Amino acid sequence: EVQLVESGGGLVQPGGSLRLSCTASGFTLSTYWMSWARQAPGRGLEWVANIDQEGSETYYVDSVKGRFTISRDNAKNSLYLQMNRLRAEDTALYYCARYYDGSGADDAFDIWGHGTMVTVSS
Amino acid sequence: DIQLTQSPSFLSASAGDSVTITCRASQGPGSYLAWLQQKPGKAPKLLIYEASTLQSGVPSRFSGSGSGTEFTLTISSLQPEDFATYYCQQLKSYPITFGQGTRLEIK
């Protein structure tokens, strides 16, 4: 079964750090771009970051640039999100998603994990 | 940035009805437009990609269409399990963006 499982969320004080992990199973992680997205309580979806298959190309939403780092370890079938200088507005359920990068316009977030909750509060 | 605006934000309908949700983009995303469904407490699920291609396993009562800056998701003959929140998403350019969501409720 194709599956993504996130972990590493929790309660952290403003200015603190947290590292999220996402473990993939049922498919070869190294052949896919991967993504992180988030959803604040009661709010809509927000894309956070993307990484290419080798980890050499990354993209971020402006609000996390310079604070968050997306990375991967294909040998461990794992995706990561290092979050530094956390703010209250980073409080959200963080999802990892498989990014299908098609040959045409058939790009999509086709597989989603169930998410891990990050709460930034003093 | 490509901004996506969905209408309506809330929709009330009955089982068996057909409904249409519209997604308007501030700039044309080409066909890099997807639709996702999210049920309470669950992860989003891909329904449609490339504006009109049905994801494998998704019932044929879901359909997508559109071009330019206006796209639609139509659900024909609503089933009880279709009551959820729907999001459009553009993957044409960074930052990848989502619409604000349309909550479909049972009348």
Side-chain angles (χ1 to χ4, degrees):
Chain A
E1 180 189 6
V2 174
Q3 196 173 7
L4 295 169
V5 178
E6 303 94 334
S7 60
L11 175 63
V12 60
Q13 293 188 337
S17 298
L18 213 53
R19 188 196 197 202
L20 306 184
S21 298
C22 170
T23 302
S25 59
F27 68 99
T28 304
L29 185 72
S30 61
T31 61
Y32 290 91
W33 281 70
M34 293 296 293
S35 304
W36 286 99
R38 66 185 179 182
Q39 187 168 36
R43 305 294 296 274
L45 297 166
E46 180 183 39
W47 168 75
V48 173
N50 266 21
I51 189 168
D52 75 340
Q53 291 92 331
E54 294 80 24
S56 59
E57 200 171 339
T58 59
Y59 298 89
Y60 299 92
V61 67
D62 280 351
S63 60
V64 309
K65 280 180 185 174
R67 301 188 300 123
F68 290 13
T69 302
I70 187 172
S71 63
R72 64 194 297 160
D73 185 337
N74 290 333
K76 294 182 177 180
N77 290 322
S78 293
L79 175 73
Y80 305 103
L81 186 68
Q82 177 66 44
M83 304 186 295
N84 298 331
R85 304 198 324 260
L86 282 159
R87 305 166 179 167
E89 54 265 36
D90 295 317
T91 294
L93 185 62
Y94 284 74
Y95 293 102
C96 71
R98 189 174 79 174
Y99 184 101
Y100 178 77
D101 180 21
S103 57
D106 52 341
D107 294 16
F109 287 20
D110 65 342
I111 303 294
W112 293 68
H114 290 287
T116 186
M117 186 68 201
V118 173
T119 303
V120 184
S121 174
S122 54
Chain B
D1 298 6
I2 298 178
Q3 310 298 328
L4 299 178
T5 304
Q6 292 180 227
S7 60
S9 293
F10 297 95
L11 186 54
S12 182
S14 301
D17 288 351
S18 289
V19 297
T20 296
I21 300 168
T22 299
C23 177
R24 291 185 174 85
S26 60
Q27 305 168 45
S31 293
Y32 289 81
L33 196 287
W35 290 95
L36 302 106
Q37 175 194 64
Q38 187 177 34
K39 296 181 180 179
K42 300 294 186 181
K45 173 187 173 183
L46 177 66
L47 297 177
I48 287 169
Y49 60 92
E50 203 173 9
S52 60
T53 304
L54 204 63
Q55 172 70 343
S56 176
V58 174
S60 58
R61 62 180 180 272
F62 291 91
S63 64
S65 65
S67 62
T69 59
E70 187 165 316
F71 298 84
T72 60
L73 171 70
T74 298
I75 313 170
S76 60
S77 189
L78 279 167
Q79 300 298 301
E81 61 267 29
D82 299 336
F83 292 93
T85 299
Y86 293 86
Y87 295 92
C88 58
Q89 178 196 24
Q90 70 81 21
L91 303 101
K92 173 68 173 176
S93 62
Y94 289 107
I96 292 169
T97 48
F98 294 88
Q100 83 277 15
T102 294
R103 184 173 174 181
L104 176 57
E105 298 182 333
I106 301 174
K107 185 181 288 185

